[in-house]
Amino acid sequence: MLSRKRNLIPFVFLILLFVATITAEWWLPVSPSVMDSGLRLMAPSSENWFGTDHFGRDLFGQTIVAARVSLLVGFTVALLSTVLGTITGLLAGYYKRLDSIIMRIIDGMLAFPSLLLALALVAALGGSVTNIIIALTFSFWPVITRVVRSSVLQVKTIQYVEAAKTSGVKDPVILARYILPNILSPIIVQGTFIFARSILAEAALSFLGVGVEPSIPTWGNMLQESQIYITLAPWFSIFPGIFIVMTVLALNLLGDGLRDAFDPYAKGKKKARKRLFKQKKQYAS
Amino acid sequence: MTEPLLEVRDLHMHFPMKQGVLQRKTNDVKAVNGVSFTLNKGETLGIVGESGCGKSTLARTLVSLLKPTSGDILFEGESILNYNSKELHALRRNIQMVYQDPYTSLNPRMKAGDIIAAPLKAYNLTTNLKKRVLELMDLVGLKADDYNKLPHQFSGGQRQRIGIARALALNPKLLILDEPVSALDVSVQAQVINLLEDLQEELGLTYLFIAHDLSVIRHISDKVGVMYLGKMMEMSDSESLYKDARHPYTNALLSAIPLPHPGKEKKRERIVLEGELPSPANPPSGCVFHTRCPFATEFCKGNVPAFDLDEKNSSGHYVSCFYPIENK
């Protein structure tokens, strides 16, 4: 999968961002938390690559450090909702009786726009990283449940599941060894998209002022603080914005790449194309 | 050896058709509609019939994947229909199934060895697991180094061998073979059938062999039953059926077998049945075959023929027809 450039670039970007943000303290030339009233709202320069904010803090450092919260929230939400969604989806898809109960609850949750649901939950729980993770997981895992359930419904009619049943294999084993391995690809793909969506959602919540406390730098908080200065110091908004866009784009591209890699038909096409190319070469020589 | 292993009595399997918002039951698809037979230990019963006649549904009710609408299934003299899940689990050791399509009946993400080991693990027979699996692989003609291969690395015939090994893992008494060779090439078909015959001799197995290929059935079966629209049309030992078919439907099916001798093949008279197979949701009244039968009369439309012993033929030849064909 990584042999294709389209997949390699987003992957490398995400790895670099991850490494850069966790090691930020060691290599950043200017500490992002040092205030300097003489350097307020400075334009990008060789000293401050992305300029400075209204307290004179270095924006490059802030943007890099802010990725921590975004990646942490995105990854944890993606992981939790994948695990929860997979469990509920497997049960709903496999057991007909549980299906109507679980899916009605899920439908109810899906009826709320996910951001609105998260907003309400954070408003009720209070804004902190943990609460944001809880709220976003709550609003995103029904999506995974739906995907998993429909895949289970498809796979459980295939004969090897029936064959396992007739040879006395018990249900938990059938779910874990026969069904789950055969539906992993849509789960992983959907998980990547949830990763991207929750980064976006976290930024949106922080921007609206119900996210992470303002003292912690996050992309959403930065955007929120910068909006009054947008005509005065556009770089204050632009750079965090670009980072959100690039991270979300990278994750979406990665998800697309994963989907293609898992899709046997797409692979076949590629092989066929290669074969055709080889043949053409032979004719030419 | 003539002890009955499996008895099926007037088995019905109807699937309700639901329609509309309220899911009201409108009709039944009568997939199996009154089938009875007895299968003795060590014998092979062949079931033939065109697609959609209920052969596979019959097989699935026999392995308890479906609960029949009515009728009874007796295994070793005991009715299996009211078994609880524990008894069912115990029963499944004795009745195993081989599936038609070797491409969908093996889990693509499991190694061949694990596929064969799965039933053993399900019954906690894990002592000497690997040795037993290798033994089974050897029994069906697979090599020991196939153990770690995935299903897609095998050919169709080899995959079917894996399926057979899996079915044999628990030492079952009855093996239900649901069109085990229809998806294979003719040359491979012969290999698999020979393998099945050898295994039967070696392990004393009883087979219920479902197929739509009459020549294959003739080769392997002791008894043959012909199914049409969920009903048994004719049943007898295979010699008598092939030489002396009594039912017009059997006769038509037999006339469709190509003969190996070119001269005889030219002279072969085919009985081509008129019309389409009626829907099992609305089977014809009276004798279900009357819509396509060349000999049907008004009487056949109104009366259902019993599935009776044919008096003129004393060798246990059952036929369900008012006007069975006389000896040729």
Side-chain angles (χ1 to χ4, degrees), chain A residues 108-143:
Chain A
M109 289 166 74
L110 279 172
F112 295 99
S114 49
L115 200 61
L116 204 64
L117 184 64
L119 199 71
L121 282 168
V122 175
L125 299 169
S128 74
V129 176
T130 328
N131 287 348
I132 287 191
I133 289 173
I134 294 171
L136 290 179
T137 305
F138 203 67
S139 50
F140 284 134
W141 68 267
V143 180

Side-chain angles (χ1 to χ4, degrees), chain B residues 128-262:
Chain B
N128 288 329
L129 185 70
K130 180 144 189 186
K131 197 175 145 243
R132 171 79 179 131
V133 172
L134 289 172
E135 222 173 79
L136 284 160
M137 287 174 70
D138 183 54
L139 193 68
V140 297
L142 290 167
K143 283 188 239 94
D145 51 334
D146 293 337
Y147 191 95
N148 284 320
K149 281 192 200 166
L150 288 166
H152 72 261
Q153 291 169 294
F154 292 96
S155 67
Q158 282 175 310
R159 280 162 167 248
Q160 202 56 298
R161 285 170 196 266
I162 299 174
I164 293 169
R166 169 178 60 188
L168 291 174
L170 296 170
N171 275 326
K173 289 175 183 159
L174 172 65
L175 209 55
I176 291 169
L177 304 141
D178 186 5
E179 308 220 22
V181 296
S182 330
L184 306 176
D185 293 342
V186 178
S187 57
V188 184
Q189 276 189 9
Q191 290 173 18
V192 172
I193 286 176
N194 287 336
L195 169 69
L196 287 170
E197 284 187 316
D198 293 344
L199 289 172
Q200 182 169 37
E201 208 167 298
E202 213 169 304
L203 307 170
L205 293 163
T206 308
Y207 288 161
L208 184 87
F209 194 100
I210 294 170
H212 56 243
D213 184 332
L214 285 152
S215 330
V216 168
I217 287 275
R218 177 176 201 170
H219 185 77
I220 199 162
S221 309
D222 301 307
K223 267 206 247 169
V224 179
V226 180
M227 271 181 85
Y228 181 80
L229 267 187
K231 280 188 187 282
M232 203 63 97
M233 293 286 109
E234 184 166 10
M235 179 151 54
S236 84
D237 59 278
S238 63
E239 272 314 290
S240 157
L241 187 99
Y242 279 86
K243 284 213 179 95
D244 185 21
R246 312 281 292 162
H247 198 284
Y249 180 62
T250 317
N251 213 29
L253 283 183
L254 290 177
S255 80
I257 306 176
L259 300 169
H261 190 281

Side-chain angles (χ1 to χ4, degrees), chain A residues 157-170 173-174 176-185 262, chain B residues 60 63 65 89 92 95-97 99-101 104-110 114 118-119 121-123 166 170:
Chain A
T157 58
I158 304 179
Q159 257 178 354
Y160 55 79
V161 176
E162 201 178 293
K165 254 188 241 169
T166 43
S167 46
V169 181
K170 300 237 167 71
V173 183
I174 290 184
R177 296 270 282 141
Y178 290 76
I179 293 179
L180 187 60
N182 287 297
I183 58 167
L184 268 186
S185 49
F262 284 128
Chain B
R60 295 182 64 199
V63 290
L65 280 171
H89 192 67
R92 284 192 168 139
I95 306 182
Q96 285 287 307
M97 185 150 164
Y99 289 85
Q100 171 177 9
D101 187 348
T104 59
S105 60
L106 306 177
N107 184 352
R109 310 261 165 171
M110 272 169 98
D114 291 332
K121 280 184 193 156
Y123 286 90
R166 169 178 60 188
L170 296 170

Side-chain angles (χ1 to χ4, degrees), chain A residues 15-52:
Chain A
I15 292 287
L16 277 179
L17 185 66
F18 176 70
V19 172
T21 191
I22 51 167
T23 58
E25 265 83 22
W26 289 297
W27 61 270
L28 276 180
V30 188
S31 171
S33 52
V34 173
M35 295 187 225
D36 186 341
S37 53
L39 288 172
R40 292 173 65 199
L41 299 173
M42 295 287 281
S45 63
S46 59
E47 193 92 336
N48 303 104
W49 296 349
F50 290 178
T52 57

